[in-house]
Amino acid sequence: MKNIVKSLILILLLMTNLNAQNLKQVVYQDGSQKLNGLITENAKKNQPAVLILPAWKGIDYEAKQAAQDLAKEGYVAFIADIYGEGNIPTDNASAAKIAGKYKADYKAYQQRINAALKELIKSGVDPNKIVVIGYCFGGTGALETARAQFPVKGVISIHGGLAKDKSRENIPLKTKVLVEHPAKDESVKPEDITNLITEMDNGNTDWQIITYANSKHTFTNPESPDYNKVMADRAWNHTLLFINELLK
């Protein structure tokens, strides 16, 4: 019980510290839908930038922490709002429903990602130096960014869904791709990985898949029972290595 209380206190302290660092809200639109993103306060002209696609419950602690950590590395970070105001899920069931909607309607998902990319570019960052990273549902979005052939330097899928509908044809994934995959992720089938590799090889993509041992689905999220600090730290180092190679 004492350990649980200590963990809760630590999370509250971390969240308080994070909120104190002030991510700025950015209101933007996709058609008539109001979207509420967050951007780091270090935005200046012609800086390299990272677009963060959050997990299935929308903008969460993990996405905010990643944004702040990226700012410390000198990058502007923008967290996308995929669902829009009034549509943020409150539990796993509603999150599964709305995330499933966008996974099925991948063009709508790509459109929301593109809206966030345009808003990030409007902040003045270098449009030729952008990387997209995504967690869980957002990891699927990172791959959809590549499939849409949006002009970004690279994408990182972190414990993301790797499958796409079999009826969709493979097209060249022109951007560089990094997949950070937990070895014990029961939501990803072995054939999903095989099919993704085929998809990337068909387009002669520059790709890398790193698999993390003893790790379940949300292994990088400190708020998850799946959290594996050792592997999460390694994954973050791999994330920075990839981003630094492409943007510095």
Side-chain angles (χ1 to χ4, degrees), residues 142 145-146 150 152-155 172-177 205-206 246:
T145 302
F150 292 145
V152 298
K153 297 290 286 184
V155 302
L173 306 187
K174 297 179 179 180
T175 191
K176 300 179 190 297
V177 177
T205 305
D206 179 341
L246 299 185

Side-chain angles (χ1 to χ4, degrees), residues 40-164:
T40 52
E41 290 191 317
N42 61 332
K44 295 179 182 177
K45 279 194 174 184
N46 299 318
Q47 276 186 284
V50 179
L51 175 66
I52 300 172
L53 305 179
W56 70 339
K57 285 188 177 178
I59 296 175
D60 59 7
Y61 170 78
E62 184 170 29
K64 292 176 182 178
Q65 185 64 63
Q68 293 292 352
D69 288 344
L70 287 165
K72 292 174 185 175
E73 298 293 328
Y75 300 113
V76 177
F78 182 86
I79 310 174
D81 176 9
I82 299 300
Y83 302 142
E85 187 168 284
N87 301 311
I88 307 304
T90 56
D91 54 30
N92 288 349
S94 57
K97 183 176 180 180
I98 193 167
K101 168 191 168 184
Y102 281 97
K103 285 181 181 179
D105 188 356
Y106 68 90
K107 289 186 178 179
Y109 196 3
Q110 291 174 344
Q111 183 172 314
R112 286 288 162 87
I113 295 167
N114 195 34
L117 279 170
K118 288 179 178 178
E119 193 63 30
L120 172 58
I121 291 169
K122 277 175 61 178
S123 73
V125 302
D126 187 338
N128 299 309
K129 287 190 175 183
I130 296 175
V131 166
V132 176
I133 71 173
Y135 296 91
C136 188
F137 168 64
T140 302
L143 293 176
E144 288 301 337
T145 302
R147 291 170 179 143
Q149 297 185 331
F150 292 145
V152 298
K153 297 290 286 184
V155 302
I156 308 174
S157 174
I158 305 170
H159 54 79
L162 307 182
K164 69 179 174 71

